[in-house]
Amino acid sequence: MASFPAIISVDDHTVEPSDVWRNRLPSKFRDVGPRIVRAPVKEMTFTGGRFATVMGAPGDEGPVADWWVYEDLFRPLTRLDTAVGYSRDEIRLEGITYERMRPGSYSVPERLADMDLNHVQSALCFPTFPRFCGQTFTEAADRELALLCVRAYNDWMVEEWCGPAAGGRLIPLAIVPLWDARLAAEEVRRNAARGVRAVCFSEIPPRLGLPSVHSDGWDPFLRACAETGTVVAMHIGSSSRMPSTSEDAPPAVSSALTFANCCFSLADWLMSGTFDRFPGLRIMYAEGQIGWIPYILERADVVWEENRGWGGIGDKVLRPPSEAFAEHVYGCFFDDAFGLRNLDAIGAGNVLYETDYPHSDSTWPRSRQVAEEQMAHLSPEVTERVVRGNAIELLGLTPEGLWVGG
């Protein structure tokens, strides 16, 4: 295409600078809040859909990494956190330091420069250390400190990462204290008052020991999202486990099945009656791809039509699930030619584009080329909608695709 629309990516990632919490927590918590320690990596594995590490003692032999330390959690920065700029064969499961990552991972000016290289105008960024929906703080023992950490992260996200230096090109994405739906609702409203229109959530909350979307346990949170126009953003892996088949399955199995948790999650939401109770609610699946969506919608409609009498949904799912999907759900993709060939079965208004910078799956710096190749059969109007128009509408951006705080 001679002129391709500037991309709005709804799934990129920020690697938090080392001083995020030290700079924002009250003084009595700065030495016990999240902090960086440099130490060797004694062990690192990713099998059966689970990531596990062991930190060595200072002075031990072995490759050195920067580790986030918080309560009894020791989490190293890894090459998978920030893989752009390396060839595919150079990307290994290994610990790294800040000096060994691309600066655009954590620095606003360098991020904007890398966005320019990739034809990206604006980007919504998920967390790294808090994990994809803030599980790190949900699992913490000290709830007072955890709540302060959640708020500190959101303040940093709004005031620094998406602050004036970003020129409206970085779009804020908040986390919430998932352990308390009322506190979560308060945090949604606090951030919505300053223009935040997206919040992280878990694709399958019971895997985190939290209520399912079939209960009313999330009602305060969901009501706050619906009333403020805050989209519920669920990233693959936000249930703290990637799909796998066995405890010894290699990471490639999980990588091939990344969409599976989204598929399970969508069935949950469509059969929960939530969208009928909260008609203003919108949800999105980051990095879930879209090719699987037509069949799950077809199957869900068949189940609703034929099995709702005994299926436990007859009194709460009031219309075909595909109709609810069209009004409430967005699929996100970075590389899905099959899904784009079947876009009519999904809905051009229900699809968002992403680049996944700086992760190993990222199409950076070729996101424009990938999109041009896979969208060549679409009209310019539909391409514009997928690449940026839907994101502008969903995230409350300016017509130019920029974020303006409240």
Side-chain angles (χ1 to χ4, degrees):
M1 297 181 184
S3 177
F4 192 81
I7 296 165
I8 297 178
S9 175
V10 298
D11 170 34
D12 286 359
H13 300 265
T14 178
V15 177
E16 299 81 16
S18 61
D19 58 0
V20 167
W21 287 276
R22 281 188 178 273
N23 285 352
R24 293 188 173 274
L25 288 175
S27 57
K28 69 176 182 177
F29 289 118
R30 285 176 187 159
D31 291 334
V32 294
R35 57 207 180 274
I36 286 289
V37 172
R38 185 161 292 186
V41 177
K42 186 175 181 180
E43 182 179 340
M44 182 180 296
T45 59
F46 184 13
T47 57
R50 292 188 181 276
F51 177 66
T53 60
V54 177
M55 185 172 79
D60 285 355
E61 293 185 2
V64 172
D66 283 336
W67 295 71
W68 281 106
V69 177
Y70 172 56
E71 292 193 340
D72 59 355
L73 175 65
F74 300 87
R75 197 281 194 194
L77 298 175
T78 75
R79 176 57 59 211
L80 300 185
D81 293 326
T82 171
V84 292
Y86 287 77
S87 73
R88 297 296 181 184
D89 290 338
E90 290 179 310
I91 300 171
R92 300 279 191 265
L93 184 62
E94 62 177 346
I96 62 170
T97 62
Y98 280 95
E99 291 84 357
R100 294 183 59 213
M101 69 174 71
R102 193 171 182 88
S105 303
Y106 58 85
S107 167
V108 170
E110 282 83 1
R111 173 60 63 94
L112 298 182
D114 278 354
M115 289 164 62
D116 290 340
L117 289 173
N118 201 30
H119 198 65
V120 173
Q121 178 192 24
S122 307
L124 181 81
C125 297
F126 281 81
T128 296
F129 171 69
R131 312 217 301 278
F132 293 142
C133 68
Q135 305 102 295
T136 295
F137 303 122
T138 298
E139 295 167 357
D142 186 335
R143 293 294 198 215
E144 178 188 6
L145 175 55
L147 181 58
L148 290 171
C149 286
V150 167
R151 291 173 175 167
Y153 176 84
N154 291 335
D155 291 345
W156 169 81
M157 168 64 62
V158 172
E159 298 166 8
E160 294 190 40
W161 185 251
C162 302
R169 297 180 61 189
L170 295 175
I171 307 162
L173 175 61
I175 59 175
V176 294
L178 291 170
W179 61 88
D180 187 316
R182 295 189 183 280
L183 287 177
E186 291 176 7
E187 191 63 11
V188 167
R189 295 185 190 279
R190 182 177 83 93
N191 288 293
R194 49 185 178 174
V196 179
R197 291 292 178 267
V199 63
C200 300
F201 191 65
S202 175
E203 62 205 351
I204 308 176
R207 291 186 179 173
L208 305 179
L210 300 170
S212 79
V213 296
H214 299 288
S215 73
D216 61 2
W218 294 109
D219 281 11
F221 166 72
L222 297 177
R223 185 174 298 109
C225 291
E227 291 177 355
T228 61
T230 300
V231 63
V232 177
M234 293 171 286
H235 195 284
I236 58 165
S238 55
S239 58
S240 288
R241 181 161 187 173
M242 297 296 291
S244 190
T245 55
S246 64
E247 291 300 322
D248 60 348
V253 173
S254 293
S255 185
L257 294 174
T258 52
F259 71 93
N261 283 351
C262 299
C263 186
F264 297 157
S265 175
L266 181 58
D268 256 350
W269 283 90
L270 293 177
M271 299 304 184
S272 69
T274 302
F275 298 131
D276 291 303
R277 294 191 297 117
F278 299 103
L281 189 65
R282 301 291 184 270
I283 69 173
M284 58 173 267
Y285 287 101
E287 209 174 318
Q289 312 300 340
I290 59 174
W292 54 275
I293 292 175
Y295 177 70
I296 191 64
L297 294 180
E298 177 183 286
R299 178 58 183 166
D301 279 357
V302 169
V303 169
W304 180 83
E305 185 66 41
E306 298 184 359
N307 299 338
R308 64 178 181 266
W310 61 264
I313 59 172
D315 60 346
K316 62 180 181 179
V317 182
L318 307 179
R319 53 183 167 154
S322 61
E323 292 184 10
F325 175 91
E327 293 182 14
H328 298 275
V329 185
Y330 295 79
C332 311
F333 76 101
F334 56 81
D335 185 4
D336 193 337
F338 179 85
L340 287 167
R341 290 196 299 271
N342 293 276
L343 187 60
D344 288 346
I346 302 167
N350 297 86
V351 171
L352 305 167
Y353 194 48
E354 59 188 27
T355 77
D356 196 31
Y357 179 105
H359 283 184
S360 60
D361 265 337
S362 179
T363 52
W364 185 92
R366 297 189 63 256
S367 299
R368 173 180 178 170
Q369 292 93 317
V370 171
E372 286 180 323
E373 292 165 4
Q374 297 187 353
M375 300 182 197
H377 64 291
L378 301 178
S379 70
E381 293 76 18
V382 170
T383 298
E384 173 90 16
R385 193 172 187 183
V386 169
V387 170
R388 58 185 286 110
N390 291 335
I392 288 173
E393 180 180 348
L394 181 64
L395 298 171
L397 307 179
T398 69
E400 296 76 28
L402 300 175
W403 176 69
V404 178

